[in-house]
Amino acid sequence: MIHKKTIKAYVYTRDQGKCYHCGKLIRLNRTTLDHYFPKSLGGTEEFFNLVTCCKPCNRMKKSAVPKDWVAINIALFKRAVSDGKVSNPPCDLDELIILAHGVESVFRNKVNTVFEGEGYRLYVKENKIYKIVRFHHE
Ligand SMILES: [Zn+2]
């Protein structure tokens, strides 16, 4: 497990200290982390699902599911891979970056978040990629 402070520092830097929802600059000590896909509905504590959030926006958002959560999870996943934040890939980093950038969809099963590109799936849990499955479309 990655320490909470480490996660917050990365997310805050990545988002340039701005609330993801209203764009306001916030000091680190006033920052909350928002689970973009709500935690109450199974959203995970991973870099691709956490965004910098001011307190008023976090209170307002509650458990609403943003319409663009798929696109945001994918974009933040690509960013986390490029930043070397998704660890343990069963392939080398250059290959992983290429795979991450080809991701087109994301879904969740009971234990993982699965990022899917054409002909492959990346299984992610706790900011680790622990399985890459390649398949061929019939
Ligand atoms: Zn805000």
PDB file of all heavy atoms in Angstrom, residues 49-85:
ATOM      1  N   ASN A  49      -8.159   7.407 -10.054  1.00  0.00           N
ATOM      2  CA  ASN A  49      -9.516   7.723  -9.605  1.00  0.00           C
ATOM      3  C   ASN A  49      -9.553   8.823  -8.552  1.00  0.00           C
ATOM      4  O   ASN A  49     -10.595   9.095  -7.981  1.00  0.00           O
ATOM      5  CB  ASN A  49     -10.205   6.457  -9.076  1.00  0.00           C
ATOM      6  CG  ASN A  49     -11.711   6.640  -8.940  1.00  0.00           C
ATOM      7  OD1 ASN A  49     -12.355   7.156  -9.848  1.00  0.00           O
ATOM      8  ND2 ASN A  49     -12.257   6.256  -7.800  1.00  0.00           N
ATOM      9  N   LEU A  50      -8.426   9.458  -8.284  1.00  0.00           N
ATOM     10  CA  LEU A  50      -8.391  10.516  -7.279  1.00  0.00           C
ATOM     11  C   LEU A  50      -8.044  11.846  -7.929  1.00  0.00           C
ATOM     12  O   LEU A  50      -7.130  11.921  -8.747  1.00  0.00           O
ATOM     13  CB  LEU A  50      -7.344  10.184  -6.209  1.00  0.00           C
ATOM     14  CG  LEU A  50      -7.653   8.967  -5.326  1.00  0.00           C
ATOM     15  CD1 LEU A  50      -6.443   8.629  -4.466  1.00  0.00           C
ATOM     16  CD2 LEU A  50      -8.866   9.223  -4.439  1.00  0.00           C
ATOM     17  N   VAL A  51      -8.798  12.859  -7.559  1.00  0.00           N
ATOM     18  CA  VAL A  51      -8.507  14.200  -8.060  1.00  0.00           C
ATOM     19  C   VAL A  51      -8.489  15.198  -6.900  1.00  0.00           C
ATOM     20  O   VAL A  51      -9.130  14.990  -5.876  1.00  0.00           O
ATOM     21  CB  VAL A  51      -9.529  14.666  -9.133  1.00  0.00           C
ATOM     22  CG1 VAL A  51      -9.481  13.768 -10.366  1.00  0.00           C
ATOM     23  CG2 VAL A  51     -10.941  14.735  -8.580  1.00  0.00           C
ATOM     24  N   THR A  52      -7.749  16.275  -7.126  1.00  0.00           N
ATOM     25  CA  THR A  52      -7.684  17.369  -6.158  1.00  0.00           C
ATOM     26  C   THR A  52      -9.059  18.026  -6.080  1.00  0.00           C
ATOM     27  O   THR A  52      -9.685  18.267  -7.104  1.00  0.00           O
ATOM     28  CB  THR A  52      -6.629  18.395  -6.630  1.00  0.00           C
ATOM     29  OG1 THR A  52      -5.376  17.722  -6.744  1.00  0.00           O
ATOM     30  CG2 THR A  52      -6.504  19.557  -5.667  1.00  0.00           C
ATOM     31  N   CYS A  53      -9.498  18.303  -4.868  1.00  0.00           N
ATOM     32  CA  CYS A  53     -10.858  18.835  -4.709  1.00  0.00           C
ATOM     33  C   CYS A  53     -10.924  19.780  -3.521  1.00  0.00           C
ATOM     34  O   CYS A  53     -10.405  19.474  -2.453  1.00  0.00           O
ATOM     35  CB  CYS A  53     -11.813  17.659  -4.504  1.00  0.00           C
ATOM     36  SG  CYS A  53     -13.554  18.070  -4.591  1.00  0.00           S
ATOM     37  N   CYS A  54     -11.574  20.947  -3.712  1.00  0.00           N
ATOM     38  CA  CYS A  54     -11.763  21.852  -2.584  1.00  0.00           C
ATOM     39  C   CYS A  54     -12.914  21.329  -1.724  1.00  0.00           C
ATOM     40  O   CYS A  54     -13.716  20.514  -2.182  1.00  0.00           O
ATOM     41  CB  CYS A  54     -12.021  23.283  -3.071  1.00  0.00           C
ATOM     42  SG  CYS A  54     -13.626  23.543  -3.836  1.00  0.00           S
ATOM     43  N   LYS A  55     -12.980  21.798  -0.499  1.00  0.00           N
ATOM     44  CA  LYS A  55     -14.001  21.260   0.412  1.00  0.00           C
ATOM     45  C   LYS A  55     -15.439  21.515  -0.057  1.00  0.00           C
ATOM     46  O   LYS A  55     -16.266  20.596  -0.024  1.00  0.00           O
ATOM     47  CB  LYS A  55     -13.761  21.783   1.836  1.00  0.00           C
ATOM     48  CG  LYS A  55     -12.578  21.070   2.475  1.00  0.00           C
ATOM     49  CD  LYS A  55     -12.207  21.617   3.838  1.00  0.00           C
ATOM     50  CE  LYS A  55     -10.948  20.902   4.334  1.00  0.00           C
ATOM     51  NZ  LYS A  55     -10.389  21.539   5.537  1.00  0.00           N
ATOM     52  N   PRO A  56     -15.749  22.752  -0.511  1.00  0.00           N
ATOM     53  CA  PRO A  56     -17.135  22.971  -0.980  1.00  0.00           C
ATOM     54  C   PRO A  56     -17.536  22.024  -2.122  1.00  0.00           C
ATOM     55  O   PRO A  56     -18.638  21.493  -2.126  1.00  0.00           O
ATOM     56  CB  PRO A  56     -17.124  24.434  -1.443  1.00  0.00           C
ATOM     57  CG  PRO A  56     -16.008  25.063  -0.686  1.00  0.00           C
ATOM     58  CD  PRO A  56     -14.974  23.994  -0.499  1.00  0.00           C
ATOM     59  N   CYS A  57     -16.634  21.804  -3.090  1.00  0.00           N
ATOM     60  CA  CYS A  57     -16.969  20.912  -4.213  1.00  0.00           C
ATOM     61  C   CYS A  57     -17.145  19.476  -3.731  1.00  0.00           C
ATOM     62  O   CYS A  57     -18.035  18.762  -4.192  1.00  0.00           O
ATOM     63  CB  CYS A  57     -15.893  20.959  -5.294  1.00  0.00           C
ATOM     64  SG  CYS A  57     -15.983  22.437  -6.330  1.00  0.00           S
ATOM     65  N   ASN A  58     -16.306  19.067  -2.800  1.00  0.00           N
ATOM     66  CA  ASN A  58     -16.413  17.694  -2.304  1.00  0.00           C
ATOM     67  C   ASN A  58     -17.737  17.479  -1.573  1.00  0.00           C
ATOM     68  O   ASN A  58     -18.381  16.440  -1.709  1.00  0.00           O
ATOM     69  CB  ASN A  58     -15.231  17.351  -1.393  1.00  0.00           C
ATOM     70  CG  ASN A  58     -14.828  15.883  -1.522  1.00  0.00           C
ATOM     71  OD1 ASN A  58     -15.630  15.041  -1.918  1.00  0.00           O
ATOM     72  ND2 ASN A  58     -13.589  15.575  -1.209  1.00  0.00           N
ATOM     73  N   ARG A  59     -18.165  18.511  -0.811  1.00  0.00           N
ATOM     74  CA  ARG A  59     -19.453  18.409  -0.119  1.00  0.00           C
ATOM     75  C   ARG A  59     -20.606  18.334  -1.104  1.00  0.00           C
ATOM     76  O   ARG A  59     -21.561  17.583  -0.929  1.00  0.00           O
ATOM     77  CB  ARG A  59     -19.653  19.634   0.779  1.00  0.00           C
ATOM     78  CG  ARG A  59     -19.226  19.403   2.221  1.00  0.00           C
ATOM     79  CD  ARG A  59     -19.816  20.457   3.136  1.00  0.00           C
ATOM     80  NE  ARG A  59     -19.443  21.814   2.750  1.00  0.00           N
ATOM     81  CZ  ARG A  59     -18.311  22.411   3.133  1.00  0.00           C
ATOM     82  NH1 ARG A  59     -17.470  21.782   3.921  1.00  0.00           N
ATOM     83  NH2 ARG A  59     -18.024  23.638   2.742  1.00  0.00           N
ATOM     84  N   MET A  60     -20.490  19.119  -2.192  1.00  0.00           N
ATOM     85  CA  MET A  60     -21.560  19.196  -3.168  1.00  0.00           C
ATOM     86  C   MET A  60     -21.677  17.914  -3.995  1.00  0.00           C
ATOM     87  O   MET A  60     -22.759  17.501  -4.359  1.00  0.00           O
ATOM     88  CB  MET A  60     -21.290  20.375  -4.109  1.00  0.00           C
ATOM     89  CG  MET A  60     -22.495  21.172  -4.443  1.00  0.00           C
ATOM     90  SD  MET A  60     -22.033  22.903  -4.677  1.00  0.00           S
ATOM     91  CE  MET A  60     -20.903  22.785  -6.062  1.00  0.00           C
ATOM     92  N   LYS A  61     -20.533  17.315  -4.276  1.00  0.00           N
ATOM     93  CA  LYS A  61     -20.531  16.184  -5.201  1.00  0.00           C
ATOM     94  C   LYS A  61     -21.137  14.917  -4.595  1.00  0.00           C
ATOM     95  O   LYS A  61     -21.853  14.187  -5.261  1.00  0.00           O
ATOM     96  CB  LYS A  61     -19.091  15.911  -5.651  1.00  0.00           C
ATOM     97  CG  LYS A  61     -19.033  14.885  -6.780  1.00  0.00           C
ATOM     98  CD  LYS A  61     -17.605  14.672  -7.240  1.00  0.00           C
ATOM     99  CE  LYS A  61     -17.519  13.442  -8.148  1.00  0.00           C
ATOM    100  NZ  LYS A  61     -16.869  12.316  -7.512  1.00  0.00           N
ATOM    101  N   LYS A  62     -20.854  14.690  -3.328  1.00  0.00           N
ATOM    102  CA  LYS A  62     -21.358  13.496  -2.641  1.00  0.00           C
ATOM    103  C   LYS A  62     -21.109  12.242  -3.473  1.00  0.00           C
ATOM    104  O   LYS A  62     -19.994  11.963  -3.843  1.00  0.00           O
ATOM    105  CB  LYS A  62     -22.835  13.670  -2.265  1.00  0.00           C
ATOM    106  CG  LYS A  62     -23.005  14.704  -1.169  1.00  0.00           C
ATOM    107  CD  LYS A  62     -24.457  14.859  -0.778  1.00  0.00           C
ATOM    108  CE  LYS A  62     -24.593  15.973   0.269  1.00  0.00           C
ATOM    109  NZ  LYS A  62     -25.906  16.548   0.283  1.00  0.00           N
ATOM    110  N   SER A  63     -22.200  11.484  -3.768  1.00  0.00           N
ATOM    111  CA  SER A  63     -21.988  10.232  -4.494  1.00  0.00           C
ATOM    112  C   SER A  63     -22.452  10.285  -5.937  1.00  0.00           C
ATOM    113  O   SER A  63     -22.765   9.270  -6.541  1.00  0.00           O
ATOM    114  CB  SER A  63     -22.669   9.075  -3.774  1.00  0.00           C
ATOM    115  OG  SER A  63     -21.930   8.756  -2.613  1.00  0.00           O
ATOM    116  N   ALA A  64     -22.475  11.487  -6.483  1.00  0.00           N
ATOM    117  CA  ALA A  64     -22.877  11.613  -7.882  1.00  0.00           C
ATOM    118  C   ALA A  64     -21.806  10.979  -8.780  1.00  0.00           C
ATOM    119  O   ALA A  64     -20.618  11.105  -8.514  1.00  0.00           O
ATOM    120  CB  ALA A  64     -23.050  13.079  -8.233  1.00  0.00           C
ATOM    121  N   VAL A  65     -22.234  10.291  -9.811  1.00  0.00           N
ATOM    122  CA  VAL A  65     -21.291   9.707 -10.765  1.00  0.00           C
ATOM    123  C   VAL A  65     -21.131  10.677 -11.935  1.00  0.00           C
ATOM    124  O   VAL A  65     -22.080  10.929 -12.669  1.00  0.00           O
ATOM    125  CB  VAL A  65     -21.801   8.345 -11.301  1.00  0.00           C
ATOM    126  CG1 VAL A  65     -20.811   7.772 -12.313  1.00  0.00           C
ATOM    127  CG2 VAL A  65     -22.023   7.362 -10.155  1.00  0.00           C
ATOM    128  N   PRO A  66     -19.930  11.244 -12.087  1.00  0.00           N
ATOM    129  CA  PRO A  66     -19.744  12.174 -13.207  1.00  0.00           C
ATOM    130  C   PRO A  66     -19.906  11.432 -14.532  1.00  0.00           C
ATOM    131  O   PRO A  66     -19.440  10.303 -14.677  1.00  0.00           O
ATOM    132  CB  PRO A  66     -18.301  12.650 -13.037  1.00  0.00           C
ATOM    133  CG  PRO A  66     -17.904  12.277 -11.645  1.00  0.00           C
ATOM    134  CD  PRO A  66     -18.715  11.074 -11.292  1.00  0.00           C
ATOM    135  N   LYS A  67     -20.555  12.079 -15.489  1.00  0.00           N
ATOM    136  CA  LYS A  67     -20.799  11.449 -16.794  1.00  0.00           C
ATOM    137  C   LYS A  67     -19.508  11.035 -17.491  1.00  0.00           C
ATOM    138  O   LYS A  67     -19.484  10.074 -18.249  1.00  0.00           O
ATOM    139  CB  LYS A  67     -21.565  12.433 -17.695  1.00  0.00           C
ATOM    140  CG  LYS A  67     -23.045  12.508 -17.375  1.00  0.00           C
ATOM    141  CD  LYS A  67     -23.802  13.153 -18.545  1.00  0.00           C
ATOM    142  CE  LYS A  67     -25.302  13.214 -18.273  1.00  0.00           C
ATOM    143  NZ  LYS A  67     -25.635  14.313 -17.316  1.00  0.00           N
ATOM    144  N   ASP A  68     -18.450  11.797 -17.239  1.00  0.00           N
ATOM    145  CA  ASP A  68     -17.196  11.533 -17.969  1.00  0.00           C
ATOM    146  C   ASP A  68     -16.206  10.677 -17.176  1.00  0.00           C
ATOM    147  O   ASP A  68     -15.016  10.687 -17.455  1.00  0.00           O
ATOM    148  CB  ASP A  68     -16.544  12.859 -18.356  1.00  0.00           C
ATOM    149  CG  ASP A  68     -16.183  13.703 -17.131  1.00  0.00           C
ATOM    150  OD1 ASP A  68     -16.581  13.335 -15.999  1.00  0.00           O
ATOM    151  OD2 ASP A  68     -15.510  14.729 -17.305  1.00  0.00           O
ATOM    152  N   TRP A  69     -16.695   9.901 -16.209  1.00  0.00           N
ATOM    153  CA  TRP A  69     -15.740   9.176 -15.363  1.00  0.00           C
ATOM    154  C   TRP A  69     -14.867   8.203 -16.148  1.00  0.00           C
ATOM    155  O   TRP A  69     -13.692   8.025 -15.828  1.00  0.00           O
ATOM    156  CB  TRP A  69     -16.438   8.469 -14.189  1.00  0.00           C
ATOM    157  CG  TRP A  69     -17.184   7.212 -14.526  1.00  0.00           C
ATOM    158  CD1 TRP A  69     -18.503   7.117 -14.844  1.00  0.00           C
ATOM    159  CD2 TRP A  69     -16.649   5.874 -14.592  1.00  0.00           C
ATOM    160  NE1 TRP A  69     -18.822   5.808 -15.109  1.00  0.00           N
ATOM    161  CE2 TRP A  69     -17.713   5.027 -14.956  1.00  0.00           C
ATOM    162  CE3 TRP A  69     -15.387   5.321 -14.373  1.00  0.00           C
ATOM    163  CZ2 TRP A  69     -17.547   3.645 -15.122  1.00  0.00           C
ATOM    164  CZ3 TRP A  69     -15.215   3.944 -14.525  1.00  0.00           C
ATOM    165  CH2 TRP A  69     -16.287   3.122 -14.907  1.00  0.00           C
ATOM    166  N   VAL A  70     -15.402   7.584 -17.201  1.00  0.00           N
ATOM    167  CA  VAL A  70     -14.607   6.633 -17.992  1.00  0.00           C
ATOM    168  C   VAL A  70     -13.429   7.362 -18.647  1.00  0.00           C
ATOM    169  O   VAL A  70     -12.274   6.952 -18.514  1.00  0.00           O
ATOM    170  CB  VAL A  70     -15.477   5.929 -19.061  1.00  0.00           C
ATOM    171  CG1 VAL A  70     -14.610   5.173 -20.065  1.00  0.00           C
ATOM    172  CG2 VAL A  70     -16.456   4.965 -18.389  1.00  0.00           C
ATOM    173  N   ALA A  71     -13.735   8.464 -19.305  1.00  0.00           N
ATOM    174  CA  ALA A  71     -12.684   9.234 -19.980  1.00  0.00           C
ATOM    175  C   ALA A  71     -11.650   9.746 -18.985  1.00  0.00           C
ATOM    176  O   ALA A  71     -10.443   9.724 -19.251  1.00  0.00           O
ATOM    177  CB  ALA A  71     -13.303  10.403 -20.753  1.00  0.00           C
ATOM    178  N   ILE A  72     -12.116  10.200 -17.828  1.00  0.00           N
ATOM    179  CA  ILE A  72     -11.203  10.745 -16.823  1.00  0.00           C
ATOM    180  C   ILE A  72     -10.336   9.634 -16.228  1.00  0.00           C
ATOM    181  O   ILE A  72      -9.114   9.780 -16.101  1.00  0.00           O
ATOM    182  CB  ILE A  72     -11.973  11.512 -15.715  1.00  0.00           C
ATOM    183  CG1 ILE A  72     -12.713  12.716 -16.306  1.00  0.00           C
ATOM    184  CG2 ILE A  72     -11.034  11.938 -14.590  1.00  0.00           C
ATOM    185  CD1 ILE A  72     -11.834  13.787 -16.941  1.00  0.00           C
ATOM    186  N   ASN A  73     -10.952   8.506 -15.882  1.00  0.00           N
ATOM    187  CA  ASN A  73     -10.160   7.385 -15.349  1.00  0.00           C
ATOM    188  C   ASN A  73      -9.090   6.958 -16.356  1.00  0.00           C
ATOM    189  O   ASN A  73      -7.946   6.704 -15.986  1.00  0.00           O
ATOM    190  CB  ASN A  73     -11.047   6.175 -15.014  1.00  0.00           C
ATOM    191  CG  ASN A  73     -11.581   6.179 -13.578  1.00  0.00           C
ATOM    192  OD1 ASN A  73     -12.072   5.176 -13.096  1.00  0.00           O
ATOM    193  ND2 ASN A  73     -11.481   7.303 -12.891  1.00  0.00           N
ATOM    194  N   ILE A  74      -9.437   6.891 -17.622  1.00  0.00           N
ATOM    195  CA  ILE A  74      -8.466   6.481 -18.649  1.00  0.00           C
ATOM    196  C   ILE A  74      -7.350   7.520 -18.777  1.00  0.00           C
ATOM    197  O   ILE A  74      -6.169   7.180 -18.790  1.00  0.00           O
ATOM    198  CB  ILE A  74      -9.157   6.237 -20.012  1.00  0.00           C
ATOM    199  CG1 ILE A  74     -10.038   4.980 -19.926  1.00  0.00           C
ATOM    200  CG2 ILE A  74      -8.121   6.082 -21.132  1.00  0.00           C
ATOM    201  CD1 ILE A  74     -10.923   4.747 -21.146  1.00  0.00           C
ATOM    202  N   ALA A  75      -7.729   8.791 -18.845  1.00  0.00           N
ATOM    203  CA  ALA A  75      -6.721   9.857 -18.993  1.00  0.00           C
ATOM    204  C   ALA A  75      -5.761   9.866 -17.797  1.00  0.00           C
ATOM    205  O   ALA A  75      -4.541   9.983 -17.967  1.00  0.00           O
ATOM    206  CB  ALA A  75      -7.409  11.214 -19.136  1.00  0.00           C
ATOM    207  N   LEU A  76      -6.314   9.728 -16.595  1.00  0.00           N
ATOM    208  CA  LEU A  76      -5.456   9.762 -15.407  1.00  0.00           C
ATOM    209  C   LEU A  76      -4.617   8.493 -15.282  1.00  0.00           C
ATOM    210  O   LEU A  76      -3.511   8.514 -14.745  1.00  0.00           O
ATOM    211  CB  LEU A  76      -6.295   9.989 -14.135  1.00  0.00           C
ATOM    212  CG  LEU A  76      -7.025  11.340 -14.065  1.00  0.00           C
ATOM    213  CD1 LEU A  76      -7.813  11.446 -12.769  1.00  0.00           C
ATOM    214  CD2 LEU A  76      -6.052  12.510 -14.196  1.00  0.00           C
ATOM    215  N   PHE A  77      -5.128   7.392 -15.798  1.00  0.00           N
ATOM    216  CA  PHE A  77      -4.350   6.151 -15.815  1.00  0.00           C
ATOM    217  C   PHE A  77      -3.142   6.293 -16.740  1.00  0.00           C
ATOM    218  O   PHE A  77      -2.010   5.953 -16.369  1.00  0.00           O
ATOM    219  CB  PHE A  77      -5.233   4.983 -16.271  1.00  0.00           C
ATOM    220  CG  PHE A  77      -4.483   3.683 -16.430  1.00  0.00           C
ATOM    221  CD1 PHE A  77      -3.994   3.012 -15.317  1.00  0.00           C
ATOM    222  CD2 PHE A  77      -4.264   3.131 -17.683  1.00  0.00           C
ATOM    223  CE1 PHE A  77      -3.290   1.811 -15.458  1.00  0.00           C
ATOM    224  CE2 PHE A  77      -3.568   1.937 -17.838  1.00  0.00           C
ATOM    225  CZ  PHE A  77      -3.078   1.279 -16.723  1.00  0.00           C
ATOM    226  N   LYS A  78      -3.358   6.840 -17.935  1.00  0.00           N
ATOM    227  CA  LYS A  78      -2.250   7.077 -18.884  1.00  0.00           C
ATOM    228  C   LYS A  78      -1.195   7.967 -18.242  1.00  0.00           C
ATOM    229  O   LYS A  78      -0.002   7.723 -18.350  1.00  0.00           O
ATOM    230  CB  LYS A  78      -2.772   7.738 -20.168  1.00  0.00           C
ATOM    231  CG  LYS A  78      -3.616   6.810 -21.007  1.00  0.00           C
ATOM    232  CD  LYS A  78      -4.220   7.526 -22.210  1.00  0.00           C
ATOM    233  CE  LYS A  78      -5.157   6.564 -22.935  1.00  0.00           C
ATOM    234  NZ  LYS A  78      -5.858   7.194 -24.062  1.00  0.00           N
ATOM    235  N   ARG A  79      -1.677   8.999 -17.576  1.00  0.00           N
ATOM    236  CA  ARG A  79      -0.770   9.941 -16.920  1.00  0.00           C
ATOM    237  C   ARG A  79       0.039   9.251 -15.813  1.00  0.00           C
ATOM    238  O   ARG A  79       1.259   9.414 -15.715  1.00  0.00           O
ATOM    239  CB  ARG A  79      -1.587  11.109 -16.359  1.00  0.00           C
ATOM    240  CG  ARG A  79      -0.811  12.126 -15.584  1.00  0.00           C
ATOM    241  CD  ARG A  79       0.135  12.927 -16.484  1.00  0.00           C
ATOM    242  NE  ARG A  79       1.063  13.683 -15.662  1.00  0.00           N
ATOM    243  CZ  ARG A  79       0.853  14.931 -15.255  1.00  0.00           C
ATOM    244  NH1 ARG A  79      -0.231  15.568 -15.612  1.00  0.00           N
ATOM    245  NH2 ARG A  79       1.747  15.533 -14.507  1.00  0.00           N
ATOM    246  N   ALA A  80      -0.644   8.432 -15.012  1.00  0.00           N
ATOM    247  CA  ALA A  80       0.034   7.735 -13.910  1.00  0.00           C
ATOM    248  C   ALA A  80       1.080   6.759 -14.447  1.00  0.00           C
ATOM    249  O   ALA A  80       2.174   6.637 -13.888  1.00  0.00           O
ATOM    250  CB  ALA A  80      -0.985   7.010 -13.031  1.00  0.00           C
ATOM    251  N   VAL A  81       0.771   6.090 -15.550  1.00  0.00           N
ATOM    252  CA  VAL A  81       1.749   5.173 -16.162  1.00  0.00           C
ATOM    253  C   VAL A  81       2.953   5.966 -16.661  1.00  0.00           C
ATOM    254  O   VAL A  81       4.101   5.614 -16.383  1.00  0.00           O
ATOM    255  CB  VAL A  81       1.115   4.351 -17.311  1.00  0.00           C
ATOM    256  CG1 VAL A  81       2.180   3.617 -18.117  1.00  0.00           C
ATOM    257  CG2 VAL A  81       0.102   3.355 -16.750  1.00  0.00           C
ATOM    258  N   SER A  82       2.691   7.066 -17.378  1.00  0.00           N
ATOM    259  CA  SER A  82       3.788   7.905 -17.877  1.00  0.00           C
ATOM    260  C   SER A  82       4.642   8.450 -16.743  1.00  0.00           C
ATOM    261  O   SER A  82       5.851   8.616 -16.889  1.00  0.00           O
ATOM    262  CB  SER A  82       3.240   9.088 -18.683  1.00  0.00           C
ATOM    263  OG  SER A  82       2.543   8.617 -19.799  1.00  0.00           O
ATOM    264  N   ASP A  83       4.014   8.736 -15.611  1.00  0.00           N
ATOM    265  CA  ASP A  83       4.735   9.264 -14.450  1.00  0.00           C
ATOM    266  C   ASP A  83       5.396   8.154 -13.623  1.00  0.00           C
ATOM    267  O   ASP A  83       5.956   8.424 -12.556  1.00  0.00           O
ATOM    268  CB  ASP A  83       3.781  10.057 -13.542  1.00  0.00           C
ATOM    269  CG  ASP A  83       3.360  11.384 -14.170  1.00  0.00           C
ATOM    270  OD1 ASP A  83       4.032  11.843 -15.101  1.00  0.00           O
ATOM    271  OD2 ASP A  83       2.351  11.963 -13.712  1.00  0.00           O
ATOM    272  N   GLY A  84       5.269   6.920 -14.077  1.00  0.00           N
ATOM    273  CA  GLY A  84       5.881   5.795 -13.356  1.00  0.00           C
ATOM    274  C   GLY A  84       5.201   5.462 -12.048  1.00  0.00           C
ATOM    275  O   GLY A  84       5.809   4.903 -11.143  1.00  0.00           O
ATOM    276  N   LYS A  85       3.912   5.809 -11.925  1.00  0.00           N
ATOM    277  CA  LYS A  85       3.201   5.612 -10.663  1.00  0.00           C
ATOM    278  C   LYS A  85       2.431   4.296 -10.585  1.00  0.00           C
ATOM    279  O   LYS A  85       1.914   3.933  -9.543  1.00  0.00           O
ATOM    280  CB  LYS A  85       2.230   6.778 -10.426  1.00  0.00           C
ATOM    281  CG  LYS A  85       2.921   8.084 -10.127  1.00  0.00           C
ATOM    282  CD  LYS A  85       3.577   8.007  -8.771  1.00  0.00           C
ATOM    283  CE  LYS A  85       4.423   9.225  -8.482  1.00  0.00           C
ATOM    284  NZ  LYS A  85       5.119   9.104  -7.204  1.00  0.00           N
TER     285      LYS A  85
END
